[in-house]
Amino acid sequence: MNPTQSTGPKATKTARSRTLRTVLIVPFVLQLFAAVGLVGYLSFKNGQKAVNEIADRLMAEVGSRVQQNLGTYLTVPHQVNQINAAAIELGTLNLEDLPILQRHFWRQLQIFDTLTFTGLGLEQKDNLGAERLDNGSLTLRISTAASNYDFRTYTTNESGEIAQFLNNKTNFDPRTRPWYKAAVAAGKPTWSQIYPNTAGITAYLGASMPFYDKQGKLQGVLLTNINLSTIGKFLESLKIGKTGQVFIIERSGMLVATSTGEKPFHTVKKDYGAERVKAIDSNNTFTKTTAQYLATNFNEFQSLKSSQSLEFDVQGNKQFLQVLPWQDDKGLDWLIVVVVPEADFMAQINANTTATILLCAAALIVAIIVGVVTARWVTKPILSLNEAAKNIAKGEWGKSVTINRDDEVGELANSFNSMAAQLQVSFTEMQALNAELSESESRLNQILEAVPVGIFVAESSGKLYYVNSRAQDLLGKGIVANTSEELREIYKIHLTGSNEIYPAEKDPIINAFKGASVNVDDMEIRQPDRIIPIEVWGTPIYDDKGKVSYAIAAFADITQRKQAEKLVAEYNRTLEIQVAERTQELKTALDNLQTTQEELIQSEKMAALGQLVAGVAHELNTPLGAIRSSAGNMMNFLGQTITNLPSLFQSLSPAESENFSQLMYRSLQKDMTLTAKEERKLKRALIRQLEGEDIDEAYDIADTLVDMGIYEADDFLSLLQKVDRDRILEIAYKLSEIQRGTQIINTAADRASKVVFALKTYARYDSSETMVESNITQGIETVLTLYQNNFKYGVEVIRNFQTIPPIMCYVDQLNQVWTNLIHNALQAMDNQGTLTLEILQEGNNIKVGVTDSGAGIPTEVMPKIFAPFFTTKPPGEGSGLGLDIVRKIVDKHHGKIEVESVPGKTTFTVVLPINRP
């Protein structure tokens, strides 16, 4: 026994067994893994969502507490000012009694421990008040005329009386202080700017309030300062996660207070001892980073107009951020910023994620073990069936499968044995049928191969099905694996006498697939050594459901017939050439170079005009047809109506005559812009109205009224209810049609007149070589009018015209330029696309641009397009002089012409001087 032969099937069997087991195991394991993974993922995401919600609630609660504390704390200074203003107004405080004022202010500092100063400044320059020093002791500060307006500071005893002199500031005037000026300018209670105290230990915020006498004259300004360190201490008392913080800043970005204990100013060596700190310059990295994020993303804090809940990263760690604008009616505009790191909440979430991953791994291992055992039990009998099936495929019909099981696999084995027996019988019958089919196909092939014409059959999918030997000889190759759309290029099927691949719309095979039988004789096959003209008959072949399943083309070589036709054509062409040569010799002897050039330009112009003749004729025939039809209808209606008018008006009362006149007037105002759908809707509404008035034949009456442009019958019900209403409506309808016919004739005449004027203007020939002042825009509009028929079926014309001054030019020659450029643009687009015309003034020049959306000019062709006799058109379709003439005309006007081209956009730009040099 050969070892290689014995181990090969066994190895194959084992590999396939493992493949089937894998198919059974992998989906089960993947489903379990996906389910557990999804649960873990959702758990993680829900944890993150819960963290976000907790963070939002925490920051909202902190922000709310800060807002409430600020509202309470910052109300006190203004309340103290209001109390003092009321006492002055009621006379309780006498501005002349300085000792009473001093003790009053000193006592207020004892009562309100958050205040650092309370006092006043007067218009007469006096200033006095009580101040709390950084060590907590209370002092009195006085500046009056008695002290020559030196601002003196004194310590006090327990009763608030002066004890000891501390310091002095000469020539102090409270009216020059910012807090005094701010209150006077506002005319109401307001805040001063925040400033550090002299020693640089804390920061003050002053509340100032002007007060007036009974005549409304300003007496002075009350001032009460508070210590912002109290706000900082409150912020420090807040618990914000583990490492979160809250700080308050002004719109300018200056720190007001922070929960980190950082002072909102730096101590410096200068008169006032300290200066304020911007949040972005904070010593606390977390505060600094948060402030920089807000300044960068919110226009230096200015665009934070409402509460914002945000998230941002610091070194890859996500931070939760909430910004609450806080304002009062005294001018404060602060931002409360609460920021908490996500890491403060994520420890438990990460622990849950680790546990989920471990559970997934355990579940996956168990699933693989269970899957392997299950797959072994399932695949063993299936492999036996597989082996038996391969034996049957080898023709060993006598082998069967024995599987002693009562489940579905056992039933499958029994069914398999039965199927094998039936297949043996069917196989025997199939062999007999195949022998008969082979014999029929052989006879059919013999017949098709004997036919002296090429036979070409394609399936409905476009692929070739059959090509006989004669077809292969003519085509130069047999069946190729391509669709019918590509076959013309592969077999080099050309339009006779051109380099153009035969058009798809005329292809007999393609037309046969559309259900049409086509016969053409303008095809030729181009082989390397010969060109074979052919005549083709294309016919569809239908299946039993009436659908085209095949297309057959029969074609024959018509070389001899074409040669005979060519001989006749060459004979005629020779006669024409001889006559033309003799005529040209006579003409050349008479014309000089200048006349030849002028006539060449005019010839090109007339050639373009000839190309426009069909379109212009259509443009004229349409209005002439409308005039002829309207005139005929008017004559018929007038003859039928005029004799009935006297008797009609005799039968109408004055009121009914007025209604009839109103009916005619309304008919002449018919809205010609309504669509058929809109007219049907109005007609249905009118029928319902007539039926509601119990008028018979409502449908016919409504049909007539709608044709007349009448969509409501409220004003004409008396006429419609008369016995002879049909005669009234008939006369009204004919009269309205006569008037409408007149309008149609006027419109059509105007249209025809416009076309004739444009044609006359274009065809005019001026040989005087005299420059005249002309408007370029009018000349271009004339050319566009002549090409109007070319634009109707797929060309969108875009006019970008500026108002430009007239220039001195040769009008007829410039019109030839516009004609050539527009005609070339239309040909480049195959009359399908967008034509953009642009006229503008740049300095002393007029620029005219003609842009088409065609395929563009190839790069290799671009340098030659203005060369005389160069053309990319087929023979007989262009002289190659058009652009050469255009360039010469532009040069003659001391201008220039440029061209830019990319696929989908080609622009010719003509630049002409307004004032020639």
Side-chain angles (χ1 to χ4, degrees):
M1 180 178 293
N2 189 326
T4 303
Q5 293 178 349
S6 62
T7 56
K10 181 178 180 181
T12 304
K13 178 178 179 181
T14 302
R16 292 178 179 172
S17 174
R18 288 176 181 172
T19 302
L20 183 57
R21 290 171 186 170
T22 303
V23 170
L24 293 174
I25 294 171
V26 170
F28 176 74
V29 173
L30 288 178
Q31 291 177 29
L32 180 61
F33 183 77
V36 176
L38 180 60
V39 170
Y41 172 76
L42 293 177
S43 175
F44 177 75
K45 294 303 288 185
N46 287 335
Q48 280 193 322
K49 182 179 180 182
V51 166
N52 291 341
E53 293 176 352
I54 292 172
D56 288 342
R57 286 200 297 269
L58 174 62
M59 292 190 295
E61 180 181 350
V62 170
S64 177
R65 290 182 62 186
V66 173
Q67 286 179 318
Q68 292 174 1
N69 183 270
L70 287 178
T72 301
Y73 183 65
L74 297 177
T75 301
V76 174
H78 288 288
Q79 289 177 340
V80 171
N81 283 342
Q82 291 172 354
I83 292 171
N84 293 336
I88 293 171
E89 182 180 358
L90 295 173
T92 304
L93 285 178
N94 186 353
L95 298 179
E96 303 296 332
D97 191 347
L98 296 183
I100 295 299
L101 285 173
Q102 294 167 10
R103 283 194 296 274
H104 175 78
F105 293 137
W106 184 85
R107 182 63 65 185
Q108 282 185 331
L109 287 187
Q110 281 192 322
I111 296 172
F112 300 100
D113 58 359
T114 60
L115 301 181
T116 59
F117 179 89
T118 179
L120 55 76
L122 300 177
E123 273 291 286
Q124 65 213 36
K125 200 175 177 181
D126 288 351
N127 186 78
L128 60 93
E131 183 175 21
R132 190 189 312 276
L133 298 181
D134 293 334
N135 59 12
S137 62
L138 302 182
T139 64
L140 289 176
R141 306 192 71 183
I142 305 170
S143 171
T144 63
S147 65
N148 197 25
Y149 298 109
D150 289 346
F151 198 25
R152 299 174 180 177
T153 304
Y154 302 92
T155 63
T156 60
N157 57 23
E158 295 179 353
S159 300
E161 298 173 344
I162 293 176
Q164 182 181 354
F165 173 80
L166 288 180
N167 56 56
N168 178 51
K169 185 174 184 180
T170 61
N171 194 25
F172 182 80
D173 188 351
R175 296 172 300 179
T176 63
R177 304 301 296 162
W179 55 269
Y180 195 100
K181 291 181 177 180
V184 172
K188 62 180 181 179
T190 187
W191 291 101
S192 70
Q193 295 182 350
I194 297 174
Y195 60 93
N197 73 336
T198 304
I201 297 176
T202 186
Y204 293 156
L205 175 63
S208 58
M209 174 183 176
F211 60 95
Y212 306 86
D213 61 16
K214 293 182 179 180
Q215 287 73 36
K217 182 179 179 182
L218 178 67
Q219 289 183 285
V221 174
L222 293 164
L223 173 64
T224 301
N225 288 343
I226 61 172
N227 192 336
L228 292 181
S229 63
T230 304
I231 300 177
K233 292 177 181 179
F234 167 74
L235 297 182
E236 290 181 49
S237 68
L238 298 175
K239 181 66 175 177
I240 312 169
K242 292 181 180 180
T243 59
Q245 63 175 250
V246 57
F247 58 90
I248 302 172
I249 60 175
E250 294 181 299
R251 287 286 179 178
S252 62
M254 291 293 184
L255 270 176
V256 176
T258 175
S259 64
T260 63
E262 180 183 8
K263 294 181 179 180
F265 51 83
H266 292 320
T267 302
V268 295
K269 294 180 179 180
K270 66 177 188 178
D271 291 343
Y272 287 95
E275 64 180 13
R276 298 192 61 196
V277 177
K278 286 189 175 182
I280 59 175
D281 296 327
S282 171
N283 292 327
N284 185 284
T285 303
F286 203 11
T287 304
K288 179 177 182 179
T289 305
T290 304
Q292 287 175 339
Y293 168 77
L294 291 175
T296 302
N297 292 278
F298 294 94
N299 189 24
E300 296 295 334
F301 310 106
Q302 299 305 310
S303 59
L304 289 166
K305 302 299 183 183
S306 60
S307 176
Q308 301 279 345
S309 292
L310 307 167
E311 295 178 2
F312 71 103
D313 289 344
V314 177
Q315 296 180 350
N317 298 317
K318 187 166 77 172
Q319 316 293 324
F320 298 112
L321 173 63
Q322 188 173 63
V323 183
L324 301 171
W326 189 90
Q327 299 172 332
D328 68 357
D329 58 351
K330 307 299 189 300
L332 286 185
D333 187 6
W334 291 352
L335 298 174
I336 302 170
V337 181
V338 184
V339 58
V340 185
E342 184 188 44
D344 286 2
F345 306 95
M346 288 300 294
Q348 187 61 41
I349 299 298
N350 293 332
N352 291 341
T353 301
T354 302
T356 302
I357 293 173
L358 293 176
L359 288 174
C360 288
L364 181 62
I365 293 171
V366 173
I368 292 174
I369 295 172
V370 173
V372 170
V373 174
T374 303
R376 185 182 298 276
W377 181 77
V378 171
T379 56
K380 185 175 181 180
I382 294 177
L383 291 174
S384 299
L385 286 173
N386 181 43
E387 188 66 26
K390 289 190 289 185
N391 292 332
I392 291 176
K394 296 176 183 178
E396 299 176 3
W397 302 98
K399 294 185 178 181
S400 60
V401 179
T402 302
I403 297 178
N404 297 319
R405 289 173 57 165
D406 296 330
D407 56 7
E408 289 82 355
V409 177
E411 294 178 357
L412 177 62
N414 295 331
S415 299
F416 180 84
N417 292 332
S418 176
M419 180 190 67
Q422 293 176 5
L423 281 175
Q424 184 174 9
V425 175
S426 299
F427 182 75
T428 303
E429 295 176 352
M430 187 65 68
Q431 285 180 322
L433 291 174
N434 284 340
E436 295 178 4
L437 181 60
S438 297
E439 185 178 354
S440 298
E441 288 182 350
S442 177
R443 286 196 298 269
L444 178 60
N445 285 335
Q446 291 175 354
I447 294 172
L448 293 176
E449 292 298 324
V451 173
V453 297
I455 303 296
F456 189 97
V457 182
E459 299 177 350
S460 58
S461 62
K463 294 184 178 181
L464 286 183
Y465 176 76
Y466 175 78
V467 178
N468 71 353
S469 57
R470 178 55 178 164
Q472 293 181 26
D473 179 60
L474 292 174
L475 294 172
K477 62 183 68 177
I479 294 178
V480 293
N482 293 85
T483 64
S484 57
E485 293 290 340
E486 302 167 334
L487 294 178
R488 296 186 304 281
E489 295 185 6
I490 293 173
Y491 288 119
K492 301 188 182 304
I493 307 298
H494 286 68
L495 187 66
T496 298
S498 73
N499 292 324
E500 178 185 350
I501 296 296
Y502 198 80
E505 62 271 13
K506 297 176 62 178
D507 191 321
I509 289 291
I510 294 177
N511 280 279
F513 281 130
K514 297 177 181 179
S517 296
V518 178
N519 172 229
V520 298
D521 63 352
D522 56 349
M523 271 190 181
E524 62 183 25
I525 302 170
R526 300 204 172 176
Q527 293 188 8
D529 57 344
R530 57 177 177 163
I531 297 176
I532 305 173
I534 58 173
E535 182 174 6
V536 185
W537 296 265
T539 304
I541 300 176
Y542 298 91
D543 59 16
D544 54 357
K545 296 181 180 178
K547 295 182 178 180
V548 177
S549 58
Y550 294 94
I552 184 171
F555 54 97
D557 183 353
I558 56 172
T559 301
Q560 294 182 351
R561 190 179 80 188
K562 288 293 184 179
Q563 289 176 346
E565 293 173 353
K566 184 177 180 180
L567 288 175
V568 174
E570 288 180 351
Y571 178 75
N572 292 332
R573 192 180 305 113
T574 300
L575 291 177
E576 292 175 0
I577 292 173
Q578 291 175 350
V579 172
E581 288 176 349
R582 184 61 56 87
T583 303
Q584 185 61 32
E585 290 173 0
L586 296 174
K587 184 176 181 181
T588 302
L590 297 174
D591 296 337
N592 56 38
L593 181 61
Q594 180 63 30
T595 304
T596 301
Q597 183 176 0
E598 292 177 357
E599 290 186 354
L600 183 59
I601 294 174
Q602 184 66 10
S603 175
E604 283 291 314
K605 181 175 180 180
M606 291 300 104
L609 183 61
Q611 295 169 352
L612 293 171
V613 166
V616 172
H618 179 76
E619 289 295 306
L620 291 175
N621 284 336
T622 299
L624 290 176
I627 292 172
R628 188 181 301 108
S629 174
S630 298
N633 290 338
M634 290 172 60
M635 291 180 61
N636 293 334
F637 288 160
L638 190 62
Q640 298 169 6
T641 304
I642 195 168
T643 57
N644 295 325
L645 284 177
S647 61
L648 172 64
F649 283 110
Q650 289 176 0
S651 66
L652 299 177
S653 66
E656 290 172 343
S657 297
E658 179 65 24
N659 286 344
F660 183 83
S661 299
Q662 183 66 19
L663 177 66
M664 293 304 303
Y665 175 79
R666 289 268 295 277
S667 174
L668 297 179
Q669 308 304 316
K670 180 177 180 180
D671 187 355
M672 304 300 291
T673 64
L674 291 177
T675 64
K677 182 177 180 180
E678 292 172 336
E679 283 199 348
R680 289 195 299 270
K681 182 178 179 181
L682 293 171
K683 180 179 177 181
R684 289 193 295 269
L686 184 57
I687 291 173
R688 289 194 295 270
Q689 181 183 7
L690 295 176
E691 290 176 345
E693 297 294 337
D694 295 329
I695 295 177
D696 297 335
E697 299 178 355
Y699 182 88
D700 294 337
I701 294 174
D703 188 50
T704 301
L705 290 176
V706 169
D707 286 343
M708 293 172 64
I710 307 298
Y711 308 115
E712 294 182 359
D714 293 337
D715 298 334
F716 315 114
L717 292 176
S718 60
L719 293 176
L720 299 178
Q721 291 170 346
K722 290 179 67 66
V723 176
D724 58 344
R725 68 184 176 202
D726 292 340
R727 183 168 70 97
I728 294 172
L729 285 178
E730 180 182 5
I731 293 174
Y733 173 75
K734 291 180 178 179
L735 288 174
S736 68
E737 286 299 309
I738 291 172
Q739 179 64 23
R740 209 157 2 256
T742 303
Q743 295 174 350
I744 292 173
I745 290 174
N746 289 336
T747 302
D750 290 343
R751 181 178 175 187
S753 175
K754 182 179 180 181
V755 175
V756 170
F757 177 78
L759 187 62
K760 179 181 177 182
T761 301
Y762 179 79
R764 180 184 61 197
Y765 175 63
D766 183 8
S767 60
S768 62
E769 285 293 326
T770 302
M771 299 187 77
V772 297
E773 191 174 68
S774 176
N775 190 308
I776 290 178
T777 304
Q778 293 178 355
I780 293 177
E781 288 291 354
T782 297
V783 176
L784 290 176
T785 299
L786 296 177
Y787 276 101
Q788 192 63 40
N789 190 59
N790 296 69
F791 301 153
K792 292 181 179 178
Y793 307 107
V795 176
E796 178 187 5
V797 181
I798 299 176
R799 295 173 171 87
N800 296 325
F801 293 173
Q802 291 184 0
T803 301
I804 59 172
I807 66 172
M808 296 299 293
C809 63
Y810 301 103
V811 179
D812 293 343
Q813 295 186 19
L814 280 186
N815 285 347
Q816 179 65 26
V817 171
W818 316 138
T819 302
N820 282 356
L821 294 181
I822 292 174
H823 178 70
N824 288 348
L826 293 175
Q827 284 191 329
M829 299 186 295
D830 290 331
N831 289 319
Q832 296 284 332
T834 301
L835 176 65
T836 303
L837 301 173
E838 185 177 30
I839 303 176
L840 56 89
Q841 180 179 353
E842 287 188 355
N844 191 45
N845 294 321
I846 300 296
K847 292 183 68 174
V848 179
V850 180
T851 304
D852 65 75
S853 60
I857 303 173
T859 305
E860 63 274 11
V861 171
M862 187 74 76
K864 300 182 287 186
I865 59 173
F866 291 107
F869 303 107
F870 175 79
T871 180
T872 59
K873 300 174 184 177
E877 294 189 15
S879 63
L881 295 174
L883 289 178
D884 177 52
I885 292 174
V886 166
R887 185 182 61 179
K888 289 179 179 178
I889 294 174
V890 173
D891 290 343
K892 189 175 182 179
H893 285 79
H894 298 276
K896 62 180 179 179
I897 182 169
E898 300 171 341
V899 60
E900 295 180 354
S901 181
V902 296
K905 182 179 179 182
T906 299
T907 301
F908 282 85
T909 303
V910 176
V911 181
L912 299 172
I914 298 176
N915 299 315
R916 293 182 58 189

